[in-house]
Amino acid sequence: MPQNTDNQYNYQSFQKVARFSKEDFYKQAFVEDCNTIRIKKEKVAVKNLEKIFEATFRICTRKGFQGMTMRDLSTESGLSMGALYSYFATKEELLNTLQRVGNSFITRVMEECVAELTEPLAKLRTILRTHLFLSEMIQPWFFFSYMEAKNLAKKERENYIKAELSTEKVITDILVEAEKENLLRTRNHQIAASIIKAMLQDWYLKRGKYAKRGITVDKYADIVIEWVEVYYLQTD
Amino acid sequence: MPQNTDNQYNYQSFQKVARFSKEDFYKQAFVEDCNTIRIKKEKVAVKNLEKIFEATFRICTRKGFQGMTMRDLSTESGLSMGALYSYFATKEELLNTLQRVGNSFITRVMEECVAELTEPLAKLRTILRTHLFLSEMIQPWFFFSYMEAKNLAKKERENYIKAELSTEKVITDILVEAEKENLLRTRNHQIAASIIKAMLQDWYLKRGKYAKRGITVDKYADIVIEWVEVYYLQTD
DNA sequence: AGAAAAATAGAGCATATGCTCGTTTTCTCT
DNA sequence: AGAGAAAACGAGCATATGCTCTATTTTTCT
């Protein structure tokens, strides 16, 4: 079976090489919303946004966004009610902010990751790995975003769906391109992309299960890529 | 029950041949809980349980179980608060009942579907198809169950996880058995079962997307089985 | 038809929850 | 050190929510 030539691209190298880190997530949140956030000093704001976001993820994993009360969030984050409301106007706004910031963060990273690649198969592998590495790095956000999308208001939910489909489209386009260059079998690429997306999502939705079985994100990436290659490179 | 010679086993035949229907779901709920349900007459109870369950699914799809108020449920189901509380003691109990009834329902159906089959590959295909057909028939329950599992109390959540893993184990066992008979390639069957499970879940989690693209459950079943066969039957 | 049983209705109670705002604490800069 | 600015605090208000309980309606049976 054809082997990956991207052995050196693993989670560790992703973290090292990437021009961003988990902290950029909170920085971006501050920069995007500094006009509505009542806290002036970036250092303070970023620190507290981290507290708020992390606390939200922890609580919502257990009881969901609707089940989380502002008192829960206050206790878990260590901030008072008053302090919390310096960062967002309403509970719903907190949800919107989280979704929006996360989406623009991953969009940026995903675009950067293939910017310099031209060979379709290399692009495909890189896209798959990067998506998995990103969802490993900010797994709580991915899980939260998926589970709480239904609580968004109309406009924000539409954005969510658009983002979902965009990931799928990126994969579809690469598959189509690769087939044109006779690198892959003829298949229904849109459906295939859908299936591949389901595999990617399983990683952040069932993070705990895989951890318990000792399957690292690098291992999982190999598995997904193996399924895709077998499906697309198999000869009749 | 469904046959093993695949071609004629589709969603329509599943519905016809199966010794159960959607309504059995509500009947089972009444039978299991008739000691706590304050309504005596089965006909009345089953009718209202249907109203309650369907209303719950409709509301929770939009705002989740925590976001649903008992007043919402009263309005949507057309029953008064008092009437609702004839069927369960607390809101939490409603959640427990829904999870429990659904689980025993699908366990029963899944066990019946392969009872008469011995050939591993036929068993595998039948399991996959039946799971998809079942999740098509009671899609709202599957979606609800998945999304609201986190709101369960400890004991009930453990049951949920057990049921999840059991589906996976059934698939793993068949794969192991098939490999022993040299019907399939050597692979890590547990991981493969995990991936297959993710594909099955995508059907009920993204029901709307597939509907919009005109992909029926029969088509989707073919796709999943194709992926599995390519992965397992491919020769080096 | 009429009485007993079964089922339904929905206002009302106690508590929980989102959010505000005057007060207090901490930080910054000279 | 001290004044002014920035940040944090948390009790309190208005409303929402889970659930109860009695009154009322519907069904059943003779």
Side-chain angles (χ1 to χ4, degrees):
Chain A
M1 200 195 74
Q3 282 308 306
N4 312 335
T5 49
D6 53 355
N7 290 339
Q8 70 281 12
Y9 183 31
N10 57 31
Y11 187 48
Q12 208 186 2
S13 72
F14 165 80
Q15 286 176 298
K16 269 189 198 157
V17 173
R19 288 194 294 277
F20 56 86
S21 72
K22 210 171 174 180
E23 212 206 315
D24 289 327
F25 191 90
Y26 310 110
K27 275 214 182 103
Q28 186 160 337
F30 177 72
V31 173
E32 282 190 22
D33 280 2
C34 59
N35 48 329
T36 59
I37 291 177
R38 283 208 299 272
I39 272 45
K40 304 295 162 200
K41 283 176 286 185
E42 177 166 340
K43 214 172 161 185
V44 176
V46 170
K47 181 193 70 185
N48 286 338
L49 282 171
E50 171 165 1
K51 280 186 191 168
I52 294 170
F53 288 1
E54 301 276 324
T56 304
F57 296 147
R58 273 194 301 274
I59 298 167
C60 294
T61 302
R62 278 183 283 118
K63 31 182 172 169
F65 190 74
Q66 296 271 7
M68 174 183 81
T69 71
M70 297 311 283
R71 283 167 184 79
D72 287 340
L73 185 54
S74 169
T75 308
E76 182 81 24
S77 67
L79 293 170
S80 68
M81 296 294 283
L84 289 180
Y85 278 92
S86 307
Y87 293 90
F88 45 83
T90 66
K91 193 187 172 192
E92 202 189 348
E93 261 312 303
L94 169 61
L95 178 61
N96 290 339
T97 300
L98 271 165
Q99 294 276 7
R100 183 171 36 74
V101 171
N103 271 323
S104 57
F105 185 74
I106 65 171
T107 302
R108 184 165 60 79
V109 174
M110 291 306 294
E111 276 169 7
E112 282 176 9
C113 84
V114 287
E116 294 155 19
L117 299 177
T118 51
E119 206 275 306
L121 292 190
K123 242 157 101 177
L124 180 60
R125 286 190 210 103
T126 303
I127 284 273
L128 299 182
R129 283 215 150 80
T130 305
H131 195 281
L132 288 169
F133 295 159
L134 202 49
S135 68
E136 169 74 4
M137 187 168 89
I138 52 171
Q139 189 269 343
W141 180 86
F142 273 85
F143 187 86
F144 174 88
S145 172
Y146 188 88
M147 292 308 242
E148 308 300 346
K150 65 168 157 307
N151 295 314
L152 292 166
K154 203 185 166 195
K155 197 188 119 198
E156 282 79 16
R157 186 152 72 255
E158 280 167 6
N159 277 338
Y160 174 84
I161 294 169
K162 223 163 63 181
E164 274 268 297
L165 291 178
S166 134
T167 313
E168 206 174 305
K169 180 124 200 323
V170 169
I171 297 174
T172 308
D173 289 347
I174 295 179
L175 293 172
V176 170
E177 191 190 345
E179 194 209 316
K180 268 192 200 139
E181 299 187 19
N182 286 315
L183 298 166
L184 296 181
R185 280 181 57 121
T186 304
R187 299 277 198 191
N188 183 324
H189 303 308
Q190 194 190 36
I191 293 179
S194 214
I195 298 277
I196 294 168
K197 184 103 200 302
M199 296 186 198
L200 296 182
Q201 284 189 326
D202 212 51
W203 177 252
Y204 58 80
L205 293 175
K206 310 275 179 59
R207 189 64 188 74
K209 183 178 80 176
Y210 290 112
K212 205 172 282 176
R213 295 181 185 170
I215 298 172
T216 63
V217 67
D218 289 313
K219 179 91 185 286
Y220 192 79
D222 288 340
I223 294 164
V224 171
I225 289 174
E226 184 185 24
W227 275 82
V228 174
E229 292 189 341
V230 168
Y231 186 71
Y232 265 108
L233 299 178
Q234 169 232 28
T235 51
D236 293 294
Chain B
M1 262 320 266
Q3 284 310 305
N4 51 336
T5 30
D6 241 9
N7 293 339
Q8 72 274 23
Y9 183 31
N10 56 30
Y11 187 49
Q12 210 187 0
S13 73
F14 165 81
Q15 286 177 297
K16 270 188 197 157
V17 173
R19 290 194 293 277
F20 55 84
S21 71
K22 210 172 172 178
E23 212 205 317
D24 288 328
F25 190 90
Y26 310 110
K27 276 214 181 101
Q28 186 160 336
F30 176 71
V31 172
E32 282 190 22
D33 279 1
C34 57
N35 49 329
T36 57
I37 291 176
R38 282 208 301 271
I39 272 43
K40 304 292 165 201
K41 284 177 286 186
E42 176 164 341
K43 215 173 161 183
V44 177
V46 170
K47 182 194 70 183
N48 285 338
L49 282 170
E50 172 165 1
K51 280 185 192 168
I52 294 169
F53 288 1
E54 301 277 325
T56 305
F57 295 147
R58 274 195 299 276
I59 299 167
C60 293
T61 302
R62 276 182 286 115
K63 30 183 175 168
F65 190 75
Q66 296 271 7
M68 175 183 81
T69 72
M70 297 312 282
R71 283 164 185 82
D72 287 339
L73 185 55
S74 169
T75 308
E76 182 81 24
S77 67
L79 294 170
S80 68
M81 296 293 285
L84 288 180
Y85 278 91
S86 307
Y87 294 89
F88 45 83
T90 64
K91 193 187 172 192
E92 203 189 348
E93 260 313 303
L94 169 62
L95 178 61
N96 290 339
T97 301
L98 272 164
Q99 294 276 7
R100 184 171 36 75
V101 171
N103 271 323
S104 57
F105 185 75
I106 65 170
T107 302
R108 184 164 61 78
V109 173
M110 292 306 295
E111 275 169 8
E112 282 175 8
C113 84
V114 287
E116 295 155 18
L117 298 179
T118 50
E119 206 275 305
L121 291 190
K123 244 158 99 175
L124 180 61
R125 287 192 210 100
T126 303
I127 285 273
L128 298 183
R129 283 214 149 80
T130 305
H131 195 280
L132 288 169
F133 296 159
L134 201 51
S135 69
E136 170 74 3
M137 188 168 90
I138 51 171
Q139 189 269 343
W141 180 86
F142 273 84
F143 187 86
F144 174 87
S145 172
Y146 187 87
M147 291 308 237
E148 309 300 346
K150 65 168 154 308
N151 294 315
L152 293 166
K154 203 186 167 194
K155 197 187 120 197
E156 283 79 15
R157 185 150 75 254
E158 280 168 6
N159 277 338
Y160 174 84
I161 293 169
K162 223 163 63 183
E164 275 268 297
L165 291 178
S166 135
T167 312
E168 207 175 304
K169 180 125 199 324
V170 170
I171 297 174
T172 307
D173 289 346
I174 296 178
L175 293 173
V176 170
E177 191 190 345
E179 194 210 314
K180 268 193 198 138
E181 299 186 20
N182 286 317
L183 299 165
L184 295 180
R185 279 181 57 121
T186 304
R187 298 278 198 191
N188 182 325
H189 302 309
Q190 194 190 35
I191 292 179
S194 213
I195 297 278
I196 293 168
K197 184 103 200 304
M199 294 185 196
L200 297 181
Q201 285 189 325
D202 211 51
W203 177 253
Y204 59 81
L205 293 176
K206 310 277 179 60
R207 188 66 188 73
K209 183 179 80 177
Y210 290 112
K212 204 170 284 176
R213 295 181 185 170
I215 297 172
T216 65
V217 68
D218 288 313
K219 178 90 186 286
Y220 192 78
D222 289 339
I223 294 164
V224 170
I225 289 173
E226 185 186 22
W227 274 82
V228 173
E229 291 187 341
V230 168
Y231 186 70
Y232 265 108
L233 300 178
Q234 169 232 26
T235 50
D236 295 295

